[in-house]
Amino acid sequence: MKIIKLNKISMVLLGLILNSVLINTAFAVDHDYKVTNGNELDADTYSGFKLYRNWCARCHGTYGQGMVGPNLAQSLQSITYEEFVETVTNGKLGNIGSMPAWKENQSVMQGMNNLYRYLKARADGKIGVIKPVKVK
């Protein structure tokens, strides 16, 4: 058996590679949603709708169309999941206002993926401009 000796630079590079793999794996979550008839959502996506309705709609509008906060149906067409998580978790200063950080809100943090599913379905135009319902 041959033992490979690594110098400090090789060890740092190896560490960076492993760290990158772990970070990418942590964000490798299921973003799939199922929408039928323009407003019937699977259970996880519906859970995201309820979170949105309770915490986000007052600034971003009933359908994500924007009000005080930006139009999320448009925003989610151009940002990554990681950028979404960063903004929801730590907040953001914008041109006209600021997005609060939600990192202390356990409901939002635990439901982040479902919230993203719901908003992604809106951004993709899969949910009509109508109140969604949960598929039974």
Side-chain angles (χ1 to χ4, degrees), residues 47 51 54-55 102 104-112 115:
S47 174
L51 276 172
N54 292 337
W55 300 105
W102 293 96
E104 300 299 324
N105 183 313
Q106 291 302 310
S107 295
V108 171
M109 297 309 294
Q110 290 171 359
M112 183 80 70
L115 181 58

Side-chain angles (χ1 to χ4, degrees), residues 33-105:
Y33 55 81
K34 184 170 183 174
V35 179
T36 53
N37 298 321
N39 76 323
E40 297 172 354
L41 310 180
D42 64 272
D44 289 335
T45 306
Y46 186 77
S47 174
F49 157 69
K50 291 193 309 185
L51 276 172
Y52 178 83
R53 178 192 64 202
N54 292 337
W55 300 105
C56 313
R58 65 188 85 166
C59 293
H60 293 284
T62 304
Y63 304 111
Q65 77 277 13
M67 287 181 17
V68 175
N71 181 324
L72 295 179
Q74 287 178 349
S75 295
L76 263 75
Q77 293 175 3
S78 61
I79 67 169
T80 65
Y81 177 76
E82 292 81 6
E83 291 169 317
F84 173 79
V85 169
E86 171 65 24
T87 300
V88 173
T89 302
N90 296 311
K92 182 177 180 178
L93 287 175
N95 294 332
I96 16 179
S98 63
M99 161 91 175
W102 293 96
K103 63 185 164 197
E104 300 299 324
N105 183 313

